[in-house]
Amino acid sequence: MKCLPVFLFLGIALSACSPQNPTQKAVPGYLKTKLNDPASYEPVRWGTEKPWRKSDADLAAAATLEASYRAQVMRAEQGLDSLRSKAVKRGSKMEDDIKRRMMAAAGKADKLEEIGQRLKESTDTTRVGTVVWHVYRSKNKLGALVLDSARFVVGKSGTVLAY
Protein backbone atom coordinates (compact mmCIF):
# COMPACT_ATOMS: atom_id res chain seq x y z
CA MET A 1 0.00 0.00 0.00
CA LYS A 2 2.90 2.35 0.73
CA CYS A 3 4.30 1.71 -2.77
CA LEU A 4 1.10 2.87 -4.46
CA PRO A 5 1.89 6.63 -4.16
CA VAL A 6 5.40 6.04 -5.53
CA PHE A 7 4.08 4.15 -8.57
CA LEU A 8 1.36 6.74 -9.07
CA PHE A 9 3.96 9.55 -8.99
CA LEU A 10 6.25 7.68 -11.42
CA GLY A 11 3.34 7.05 -13.80
CA ILE A 12 2.40 10.74 -13.83
CA ALA A 13 6.02 11.86 -14.23
CA LEU A 14 6.68 9.50 -17.14
CA SER A 15 3.49 10.44 -18.93
CA ALA A 16 4.34 14.16 -18.54
CA CYS A 17 7.63 13.68 -20.42
CA SER A 18 6.11 12.20 -23.55
CA PRO A 19 4.36 14.33 -26.18
CA GLN A 20 0.66 14.63 -25.35
CA ASN A 21 -0.90 16.77 -28.05
CA PRO A 22 -1.14 16.23 -31.81
CA THR A 23 1.40 18.98 -32.57
CA GLN A 24 4.06 17.40 -30.41
CA LYS A 25 3.37 14.05 -32.04
CA ALA A 26 3.43 15.33 -35.64
CA VAL A 27 6.69 17.31 -35.49
CA PRO A 28 9.01 14.45 -34.43
CA GLY A 29 7.51 12.22 -37.12
CA TYR A 30 8.12 14.92 -39.70
CA LEU A 31 11.66 15.59 -38.49
CA LYS A 32 12.58 11.92 -38.59
CA THR A 33 11.81 11.90 -42.33
CA LYS A 34 14.05 14.95 -42.90
CA LEU A 35 17.05 14.39 -40.60
CA ASN A 36 20.35 12.82 -41.67
CA ASP A 37 20.25 10.37 -38.75
CA PRO A 38 16.63 9.95 -37.60
CA ALA A 39 17.62 7.64 -34.73
CA SER A 40 19.67 10.46 -33.16
CA TYR A 41 16.67 12.80 -32.82
CA GLU A 42 16.28 14.05 -29.26
CA PRO A 43 13.67 16.67 -28.28
CA VAL A 44 15.04 19.41 -26.03
CA ARG A 45 12.34 22.04 -25.63
CA TRP A 46 8.92 22.97 -26.98
CA GLY A 47 7.75 26.55 -27.32
CA THR A 48 4.24 27.69 -26.54
CA GLU A 49 1.73 26.75 -29.17
CA LYS A 50 -0.15 29.52 -30.90
CA PRO A 51 -3.01 29.37 -33.39
CA TRP A 52 -1.97 29.70 -37.04
CA ARG A 53 -4.65 31.61 -38.89
CA LYS A 54 -5.30 32.19 -42.59
CA SER A 55 -4.11 35.79 -42.19
CA ASP A 56 -0.78 34.51 -40.78
CA ALA A 57 -0.37 32.23 -43.78
CA ASP A 58 -1.19 35.16 -46.08
CA LEU A 59 1.47 37.33 -44.40
CA ALA A 60 4.05 34.58 -44.87
CA ALA A 61 3.06 34.28 -48.55
CA ALA A 62 3.32 38.08 -48.90
CA ALA A 63 6.87 37.99 -47.53
CA THR A 64 7.78 35.32 -50.09
CA LEU A 65 6.23 37.40 -52.87
CA GLU A 66 8.15 40.49 -51.73
CA ALA A 67 11.41 38.56 -52.00
CA SER A 68 10.37 37.39 -55.46
CA TYR A 69 9.45 40.97 -56.38
CA ARG A 70 12.86 42.27 -55.29
CA ALA A 71 14.60 39.51 -57.26
CA GLN A 72 12.50 40.34 -60.34
CA VAL A 73 13.40 44.03 -60.10
CA MET A 74 17.10 43.23 -59.64
CA ARG A 75 17.01 40.86 -62.63
CA ALA A 76 15.31 43.54 -64.74
CA GLU A 77 17.91 46.14 -63.76
CA GLN A 78 20.77 43.76 -64.58
CA GLY A 79 19.13 42.89 -67.89
CA LEU A 80 18.65 46.56 -68.68
CA ASP A 81 22.32 47.30 -68.01
CA SER A 82 23.31 44.41 -70.26
CA LEU A 83 20.96 45.53 -73.04
CA ARG A 84 22.17 49.12 -72.80
CA SER A 85 25.77 48.05 -73.26
CA LYS A 86 24.76 45.98 -76.31
CA ALA A 87 22.69 48.87 -77.69
CA VAL A 88 25.70 51.18 -77.53
CA LYS A 89 27.66 48.68 -79.61
CA ARG A 90 24.91 47.92 -82.16
CA GLY A 91 23.14 51.21 -82.51
CA SER A 92 19.59 52.40 -81.85
CA LYS A 93 17.72 49.30 -83.16
CA MET A 94 17.88 47.72 -79.72
CA GLU A 95 16.22 50.66 -77.94
CA ASP A 96 12.75 49.32 -78.84
CA ASP A 97 13.76 45.90 -77.52
CA ILE A 98 14.99 47.49 -74.29
CA LYS A 99 11.73 49.38 -73.81
CA ARG A 100 9.63 46.27 -74.53
CA ARG A 101 11.58 44.13 -72.06
CA MET A 102 11.47 46.79 -69.37
CA MET A 103 7.71 47.13 -69.73
CA ALA A 104 7.28 43.33 -69.46
CA ALA A 105 9.49 43.16 -66.36
CA ALA A 106 7.70 46.13 -64.79
CA GLY A 107 4.34 44.48 -65.48
CA LYS A 108 5.39 41.26 -63.73
CA ALA A 109 6.81 43.17 -60.79
CA ASP A 110 3.64 45.25 -60.47
CA LYS A 111 1.49 42.11 -60.44
CA LEU A 112 3.64 40.57 -57.71
CA GLU A 113 3.45 43.76 -55.68
CA GLU A 114 -0.34 43.93 -56.06
CA ILE A 115 -0.82 40.32 -54.96
CA GLY A 116 1.52 40.86 -52.01
CA GLN A 117 -0.42 43.94 -50.92
CA ARG A 118 -3.74 42.06 -51.06
CA LEU A 119 -2.25 39.24 -48.99
CA LYS A 120 -0.94 41.71 -46.39
CA GLU A 121 -4.40 43.23 -46.03
CA SER A 122 -6.00 39.83 -45.39
CA THR A 123 -8.03 39.73 -42.17
CA ASP A 124 -9.32 36.17 -42.41
CA THR A 125 -9.09 34.76 -38.87
CA THR A 126 -10.01 31.19 -39.79
CA ARG A 127 -7.74 28.86 -37.83
CA VAL A 128 -5.63 26.77 -40.19
CA GLY A 129 -3.49 25.01 -37.61
CA THR A 130 -0.95 25.53 -34.83
CA VAL A 131 2.51 27.07 -34.88
CA VAL A 132 5.19 26.01 -32.41
CA TRP A 133 8.94 26.47 -31.90
CA HIS A 134 10.87 23.28 -31.23
CA VAL A 135 14.49 22.84 -30.10
CA TYR A 136 16.05 19.44 -30.76
CA ARG A 137 19.36 17.60 -31.07
CA SER A 138 20.34 15.36 -33.93
CA LYS A 139 23.48 14.18 -35.70
CA ASN A 140 24.59 16.00 -38.83
CA LYS A 141 26.22 14.42 -41.91
CA LEU A 142 29.57 14.24 -40.14
CA GLY A 143 28.09 12.46 -37.13
CA ALA A 144 28.42 15.40 -34.74
CA LEU A 145 25.51 15.98 -32.38
CA VAL A 146 24.12 19.47 -33.06
CA LEU A 147 21.44 21.59 -31.41
CA ASP A 148 18.89 23.01 -33.84
CA SER A 149 15.57 24.80 -33.66
CA ALA A 150 12.77 25.57 -36.08
CA ARG A 151 9.25 26.91 -36.27
CA PHE A 152 6.70 24.34 -37.37
CA VAL A 153 3.17 24.87 -38.63
CA VAL A 154 0.97 21.86 -38.01
CA GLY A 155 -2.40 21.72 -39.74
CA LYS A 156 -5.68 20.68 -38.20
CA SER A 157 -5.27 17.21 -39.68
CA GLY A 158 -1.98 16.75 -37.79
CA THR A 159 0.34 17.07 -40.78
CA VAL A 160 3.27 19.48 -40.79
CA LEU A 161 2.48 22.20 -43.34
CA ALA A 162 5.69 24.21 -43.13
CA TYR A 163 8.81 24.79 -41.12
Side-chain angles (χ1 to χ4, degrees):
M1 192 68 173
K2 291 181 180 180
C3 294
L4 184 62
V6 173
F7 287 118
L8 185 61
F9 174 75
L10 282 175
I12 292 171
L14 289 175
S15 66
C17 294
S18 63
Q20 296 297 317
N21 60 26
T23 302
Q24 291 183 4
K25 289 180 182 177
V27 171
Y30 177 79
L31 277 173
K32 287 180 180 181
T33 64
K34 302 293 181 188
L35 295 174
N36 292 319
D37 184 4
S40 69
Y41 167 78
E42 177 187 336
V44 175
R45 182 175 47 240
W46 292 93
T48 57
E49 295 181 10
K50 296 179 182 173
W52 184 255
R53 305 197 184 284
K54 177 81 170 88
S55 57
D56 298 327
D58 289 345
L59 280 174
T64 303
L65 278 175
E66 280 182 15
S68 179
Y69 168 76
R70 284 192 294 274
Q72 185 77 21
V73 169
M74 189 172 16
R75 233 179 282 120
E77 288 173 356
Q78 290 171 349
L80 179 61
D81 291 341
S82 172
L83 286 172
R84 280 188 182 144
S85 66
K86 289 177 184 176
V88 169
K89 293 176 186 174
R90 293 185 184 174
S92 63
K93 284 185 176 181
M94 292 198 65
E95 283 184 32
D96 291 336
D97 189 37
I98 292 171
K99 288 178 185 174
R100 184 179 48 78
R101 288 188 184 192
M102 278 304 293
M103 293 301 288
K108 287 179 185 176
D110 288 343
K111 285 179 186 175
L112 287 175
E113 188 175 28
E114 180 184 329
I115 293 169
Q117 192 61 35
R118 272 190 274 145
L119 286 171
K120 280 182 182 178
E121 293 169 356
S122 172
T123 57
D124 189 354
T125 59
T126 305
R127 186 174 178 156
V128 179
T130 304
V131 63
V132 65
W133 276 96
H134 179 47
V135 180
Y136 58 94
R137 284 190 189 93
S138 65
K139 289 185 179 177
N140 63 10
K141 288 181 181 180
L142 301 175
L145 195 61
V146 294
L147 185 68
D148 201 357
S149 65
R151 181 185 75 165
F152 295 90
V153 178
V154 181
K156 286 182 178 180
S157 63
T159 58
V160 177
L161 303 174
Y163 88 102

